[in-house]
Amino acid sequence: MNRRFQLWLWIALALAVGLALFWQFAPLPNAGDRLSRLPLSGLGFTGKDLPLSDIEKTVFQRAQTIKRLYKAGNQVIIVQVIDASGDRHAIHDPLYCFRGAGWEVAASQDIAVNGGAARQLQLRRNAETAEVVYWISDGTVRHASPIQYRWQTALRRLTMGRSGSEPVLILVQPADKAAVDWSTVFSRFPALLDL
């Protein structure tokens, strides 16, 4: 290689490293303002904050997390919203957590929500059953794809936040063993779909 080509190669490498460091450490707006707008009560629903478990405190220590108990009509649900802009590893495919806790997926289906789809899971562990609905939202588009989430967050970093708002993970589950009518929950608690 000639000397001039080596010089240009070193310059390109230095620029690539500089840009990578800039993108890694440049602050981007998080979803904190959207989380703070999730009301505790409103017409048709009331709620209260719940403490995070010790495991949740460890996993979400650098992420912003809301965990609340809500009553929408006669439906009682637990809502957890996670903004992982402070820790990209805090949001991953929820199936990993469920399977890691010993649950197996008995049924899975997508359900339509404003701006996209959520995933509804029926879970089973020994004789115990559970249900959860989850989706990822940037405030406009809603989906249940961890791959699409990774793409959204990578694109946000590359565009310095111009590609859209920070996506958050929303997990909703019944507070007890009673079946939940999700259409009633979403119609009485539309703020949940505005995140």
Side-chain angles (χ1 to χ4, degrees):
M1 280 191 238
N2 68 28
R3 191 160 175 76
R4 185 180 203 123
F5 181 73
Q6 286 180 342
L7 177 64
W8 282 111
L9 206 57
W10 281 109
I11 290 171
L13 179 63
L15 281 172
V17 169
L19 284 173
L21 288 173
F22 175 74
W23 279 320
Q24 180 68 27
F25 297 108
L28 291 176
N30 61 27
D33 61 330
R34 290 188 0 245
L35 269 63
S36 67
R37 287 195 312 256
L38 183 64
L40 270 173
S41 62
L43 184 61
F45 68 93
T46 59
K48 69 176 184 176
D49 288 317
L50 294 174
L52 297 178
S53 69
D54 290 338
I55 292 172
E56 290 168 333
K57 286 178 187 175
T58 301
V59 171
F60 303 130
Q61 65 185 354
R62 292 190 330 234
Q64 292 186 53
T65 304
I66 290 176
K67 185 176 181 182
R68 293 183 178 160
L69 178 77
Y70 282 102
K71 184 173 183 188
N74 63 351
Q75 310 291 309
V76 183
I77 57 172
I78 296 173
V79 174
Q80 191 160 13
V81 184
I82 304 156
D83 169 12
S85 54
D87 179 4
R88 297 276 168 226
H89 302 290
I91 291 182
H92 47 272
D93 189 343
L95 291 175
Y96 293 137
C97 289
F98 299 135
R99 288 183 178 134
W103 294 97
E104 66 179 58
V105 177
S108 172
Q109 69 176 4
D110 288 345
I111 56 175
V113 295
N114 295 342
R119 176 109 357 106
Q120 180 182 13
L121 300 176
Q122 301 293 329
L123 304 170
R124 185 180 317 127
R125 179 172 62 191
N126 302 323
E128 194 178 2
T129 61
E131 180 179 13
V132 67
V133 172
Y134 70 91
W135 66 94
I136 297 166
S137 172
D138 66 2
T140 305
V141 176
R142 287 155 192 87
H143 60 85
S145 169
I147 293 170
Q148 187 174 347
Y149 166 76
R150 294 288 177 215
W151 172 248
Q152 285 176 296
T153 57
L155 190 59
R156 276 193 87 239
R157 287 192 303 277
L158 285 172
T159 63
M160 299 304 298
R162 290 181 183 86
S163 66
S165 299
E166 180 69 28
V168 297
L169 173 64
I170 299 110
L171 295 148
V172 185
Q173 60 191 31
D176 51 28
K177 297 295 179 192
V180 172
D181 177 1
W182 295 107
S183 60
T184 298
V185 169
F186 296 143
S187 66
R188 287 187 172 260
F189 191 9
L192 190 57
L193 296 174
D194 290 339
L195 288 172

